[in-house]
Amino acid sequence: MSREVVVIEGDGIGREVIPAAVEVLKALPVDFEFVEADAGDATKEATGEALPAETYDLAADADATLFGAAGETAADVILPLRDAVNSFVNVRPARAYPGVDAVRPETDVVFLRENTEGVYSGHEDRLSDDLSTLTRVVTSSASRELAEYACEFVEDGRGPAGDPDEGFTVAHKANVMRETDGRFREEVLAVAEERGVDADEELMDAFATKLPLDPSQYGVIVCPNLAGDVLSDLAAGLVGGLGLLPSANVGHDNALFEPVHGTAPDIAGEGIANPTATILSAAMLLEYLGHAEEGQRVRAAVEGVLSDGPRTGDLGGDATTDEVTAAIVDRL
Amino acid sequence: MSREVVVIEGDGIGREVIPAAVEVLKALPVDFEFVEADAGDATKEATGEALPAETYDLAADADATLFGAAGETAADVILPLRDAVNSFVNVRPARAYPGVDAVRPETDVVFLRENTEGVYSGHEDRLSDDLSTLTRVVTSSASRELAEYACEFVEDGRGPAGDPDEGFTVAHKANVMRETDGRFREEVLAVAEERGVDADEELMDAFATKLPLDPSQYGVIVCPNLAGDVLSDLAAGLVGGLGLLPSANVGHDNALFEPVHGTAPDIAGEGIANPTATILSAAMLLEYLGHAEEGQRVRAAVEGVLSDGPRTGDLGGDATTDEVTAAIVDRL
Ligand SMILES: CC(C)[C@H](C(=O)O)[C@@H](O)C(=O)O
Ligand SMILES: CC(C)[C@H](C(=O)O)[C@@H](O)C(=O)O
């Protein structure tokens, strides 16, 4: 039975990198049915809605979704889509590649970001002309679910070191947010202890100092929603930018894959966007749908091209999106 | 009339770096009366309270306070002390010094961090066995007060570029925290516009990617409380660690100065701690109390010693705290 993969280009370079990733997927012996759907700024202009109910439903019912990028409407698209696939964890690997300029070439980390609560709860109030509040939410259930995933991730050797003994680091701000991050921290550490997985902890501000100083001391990092957003983007800066970073929003029987980068309006439409982050997101999609070997083939092809193939402008080359994609397909 | 400066060593290397900074202050032609007060882990052990009411009152009534570091009780000490001096802004310069190893030697930025609200409001609730919440607070009044300070700071040429035309950058997450950070962003940009100060903006996650990639594009950065905490600590990682970073918690007629680093338990008691961050905090204290010229003398002496004087172990040298302090006093 073929798997249904919803494909949403979105805006800007999303329209260039998504077709590139689909081309890579189509070159593999996997039986996916691709269903196109719309979202983003252009969709809002045309229909009044950044994320039409039809797109939400398609993503919710699919086996997986591959999303490009959205412009001004990014939050209106991506947050409901994460909800559509019931994703409880955002998986964000950040590694430097040989030959690619990086502030910290030894960076090789994976963030496991809580994907449903924290300041993303959506509860905000304008209480007076002077005062607004936001209700930051942390539950034991979501914290434990994330921690269970982190333990499996580590046990399966999916961390950068490949070694389950490396365990994970939980980054939080429980010295200030004692009740909410205190709960998060406690539950995550308790699950690790129950499962015999090694876990240490770091205050998120101290982590932000230490990661640039010595990224080699970290592997898998587990964090609340906004901490994961900011700290993984920091790691992106250390590996040389957003052009190479994939991500997965994982639920129990559905998932959403997206490059970490945005719409890059400065180069959109020119056919010169780097498709790597989206192609690596497609590799994560393959692995999620049980095609681990094909996922590995895509990764290897990408690494080959990064080391001695054509490069787009962001990596100092002058190749087009199509040329890079063709080179990757060639190596599959 | 002499000014009263409360001095709180706290724990760990606080007991070494505070005396060093006081020695520097005493070597200058300024008329300060130093009043010692206690806070921190050891104080809690001895008295049951990390921050005795007496210390709080002394800091509240003084002209300024110089604080070292506290261990486990850091939050219990520093947050009430910031409140005692009614500080509405935390000023955190982060610059790399010639000759000091830095991930990004071109870093030269100053964070102006909102110092009273955001997730630091202290309102948290355990609503059930599963659920905890925190009320994140943003007011127009605190946002505008911070923005007014930022405008003055820039107008006075106190930014790294020294050029008022450089303006400032406001970093926020208003695409997700639309009501709270939306209010913050709007008020800060409105004040800048009213005063004719140039202001641009950046999402805090994008900022965390871009700062390591190219710190030279930023100067003064204005942010909400937790964003300022994390992003300034990130900058600390780029300039080579916490050993050189001073900070000021500024109120209208009182202020609190502290190094950004902690108690460094691994080296505490050995007399080898780097006193630079605290001595630079003392320079900020001098400037705050109207002794701009003396503040500048301290800075120049510190820079001289950093470039060709003795160094502590964290900077690759083997000098003691006393030797570095004596070298700085020598150059005043
Ligand atoms: C667009 C925005 C809502 C989103 C987030 O904050 O999660 C983005 O920054 C990301 O990390 O995918
Ligand atoms: C100790 C802690 C409460 C404090 C903060 O979060 O403000 C510290 O990290 C700082 O930045 O001074």
Side-chain angles (χ1 to χ4, degrees):
Chain A
M1 204 190 69
S2 79
R3 309 294 197 98
E4 190 172 297
V5 175
V6 170
V7 165
I8 307 171
E9 294 183 357
D11 304 309
I13 61 168
R15 303 185 184 188
E16 297 156 53
V17 294
I18 288 288
V22 170
E23 194 181 323
V24 171
L25 289 173
K26 285 188 171 162
L28 292 164
V30 292
D31 190 14
F32 291 166
E33 187 195 337
F34 294 99
V35 180
E36 290 185 16
D38 293 324
D41 294 2
T43 305
K44 183 168 183 181
E45 220 158 278
T47 71
E49 283 181 306
L51 185 71
E54 198 196 327
T55 301
Y56 183 98
D57 292 341
L58 280 170
D61 295 339
D63 292 296
T65 294
L66 187 62
F67 169 65
E72 291 298 314
T73 57
D76 297 318
V77 172
I78 194 63
L79 300 181
L81 276 181
R82 287 177 186 159
D83 174 67
V85 303
N86 277 308
S87 72
F88 57 89
V89 55
N90 190 329
V91 183
R92 301 194 161 202
R95 60 173 283 213
Y97 289 89
V100 174
D101 245 12
V103 179
R104 277 298 191 195
E106 60 280 61
T107 307
D108 192 0
V109 292
V110 178
F111 289 86
L112 301 178
R113 166 185 176 189
E114 199 287 316
N115 216 17
T116 63
E117 46 190 39
V119 297
Y120 287 72
S121 68
H123 301 301
E124 288 190 293
D125 296 290
R126 187 176 180 85
L127 295 184
S128 78
D129 272 1
D130 189 49
L131 172 66
S132 295
T133 59
L134 176 151
T135 304
R136 181 175 193 267
V137 169
V138 174
T139 65
S140 289
S141 35
S143 306
R144 293 184 71 89
E145 190 165 40
L146 173 67
E148 296 283 359
Y149 183 89
C151 289
E152 260 161 54
F153 193 89
V154 163
E155 285 162 1
D156 292 350
R158 293 174 64 200
D163 176 0
D165 289 347
E166 293 283 322
F168 63 77
T169 302
V170 48
H172 59 76
K173 189 78 188 178
N175 61 335
V176 169
M177 300 188 275
R178 292 181 181 191
E179 178 57 39
T180 50
D181 265 19
R183 184 188 282 273
F184 178 83
R185 168 191 175 277
E186 209 173 284
E187 295 291 5
V188 171
L189 292 177
V191 169
E193 167 122 27
E194 283 157 34
R195 295 186 55 144
V197 168
D198 214 52
D200 53 18
E201 61 179 317
E202 201 84 83
L203 291 170
M204 68 181 284
D205 49 334
F207 181 86
T209 301
K210 289 177 171 180
L211 189 70
L213 286 173
D214 179 13
S216 72
Q217 67 190 300
Y218 299 107
V220 176
I221 303 115
V222 176
C223 17
N225 209 339
L226 184 64
D229 180 46
V230 176
L231 298 176
S232 66
D233 268 22
L234 157 55
L238 300 180
V239 303
L242 298 166
L244 304 177
L245 297 194
S247 77
N249 300 275
V250 176
H252 290 291
D253 50 16
N254 200 343
L256 167 73
F257 301 83
E258 40 158 351
V260 174
H261 63 66
T263 56
D266 49 321
I267 59 158
E270 297 182 33
I272 56 168
N274 186 348
T276 308
T278 310
I279 292 173
L280 288 172
S281 301
M284 295 180 89
L285 180 151
L286 285 163
E287 282 156 0
Y288 178 77
L289 291 180
H291 298 290
E293 200 210 307
E294 284 75 15
Q296 196 36 53
R297 276 171 65 192
V298 172
R299 264 180 230 290
V302 165
E303 281 169 41
V305 171
L306 281 175
S307 93
D308 61 16
R311 292 174 173 225
T312 45
D314 58 316
L315 300 181
D318 59 5
T320 63
T321 308
D322 285 349
E323 284 162 357
V324 172
T325 307
I328 290 170
V329 169
D330 246 19
R331 299 217 193 197
L332 282 176
Chain B
M1 203 190 69
S2 79
R3 309 292 197 98
E4 190 173 295
V5 175
V6 170
V7 165
I8 307 171
E9 294 183 357
D11 304 308
I13 62 168
R15 300 183 186 192
E16 297 155 54
V17 293
I18 288 288
V22 170
E23 195 181 322
V24 171
L25 289 173
K26 284 186 171 164
L28 292 164
V30 292
D31 190 13
F32 291 165
E33 188 196 336
F34 295 99
V35 180
E36 290 185 17
D38 293 324
D41 294 2
T43 304
K44 183 168 184 180
E45 217 158 281
T47 70
E49 284 182 306
L51 185 71
E54 198 196 328
T55 301
Y56 182 98
D57 292 341
L58 280 171
D61 295 340
D63 292 296
T65 294
L66 188 61
F67 169 64
E72 292 298 313
T73 57
D76 298 319
V77 173
I78 194 64
L79 300 182
L81 275 182
R82 287 177 186 159
D83 174 68
V85 303
N86 276 308
S87 71
F88 57 89
V89 54
N90 191 329
V91 183
R92 300 193 161 202
R95 60 173 282 210
Y97 289 91
V100 174
D101 246 11
V103 179
R104 277 300 191 191
E106 61 278 60
T107 307
D108 192 1
V109 291
V110 178
F111 289 87
L112 302 179
R113 165 185 177 190
E114 199 287 317
N115 216 17
T116 63
E117 44 188 45
V119 298
Y120 287 73
S121 68
H123 301 301
E124 287 189 296
D125 296 290
R126 187 177 178 85
L127 295 186
S128 78
D129 272 2
D130 190 50
L131 173 67
S132 295
T133 59
L134 177 149
T135 304
R136 181 174 194 267
V137 170
V138 174
T139 65
S140 289
S141 36
S143 307
R144 293 185 70 91
E145 191 166 38
L146 173 67
E148 296 283 358
Y149 184 89
C151 288
E152 259 161 55
F153 193 88
V154 163
E155 285 161 0
D156 292 351
R158 293 174 65 200
D163 175 359
D165 290 345
E166 293 283 322
F168 63 76
T169 302
V170 49
H172 59 75
K173 188 79 188 175
N175 61 335
V176 169
M177 301 189 274
R178 293 181 181 191
E179 179 57 38
T180 50
D181 265 20
R183 185 188 281 273
F184 178 82
R185 168 191 176 276
E186 208 173 288
E187 295 291 5
V188 171
L189 292 177
V191 169
E193 166 121 26
E194 282 156 35
R195 295 186 55 146
V197 168
D198 213 52
D200 53 18
E201 59 179 317
E202 202 84 84
L203 291 170
M204 68 181 285
D205 49 335
F207 181 85
T209 301
K210 289 178 172 180
L211 189 71
L213 285 174
D214 179 15
S216 73
Q217 66 190 302
Y218 300 108
V220 176
I221 302 115
V222 176
C223 18
N225 209 339
L226 184 63
D229 180 46
V230 176
L231 298 176
S232 67
D233 268 22
L234 156 55
L238 300 180
V239 304
L242 297 166
L244 304 176
L245 297 195
S247 77
N249 300 275
V250 176
H252 290 290
D253 51 16
N254 200 343
L256 167 72
F257 301 84
E258 39 159 351
V260 174
H261 64 67
T263 56
D266 49 321
I267 58 158
E270 296 181 34
I272 57 169
N274 186 349
T276 308
T278 310
I279 292 172
L280 288 172
S281 301
M284 294 179 90
L285 180 151
L286 285 163
E287 282 156 0
Y288 178 78
L289 291 180
H291 298 291
E293 199 210 306
E294 285 75 13
Q296 195 37 51
R297 275 171 66 191
V298 172
R299 264 179 230 290
V302 165
E303 280 168 42
V305 170
L306 280 175
S307 92
D308 61 17
R311 291 174 174 225
T312 45
D314 57 317
L315 300 181
D318 59 5
T320 64
T321 308
D322 285 349
E323 284 162 356
V324 171
T325 308
I328 290 170
V329 169
D330 245 20
R331 299 218 193 196
L332 282 177

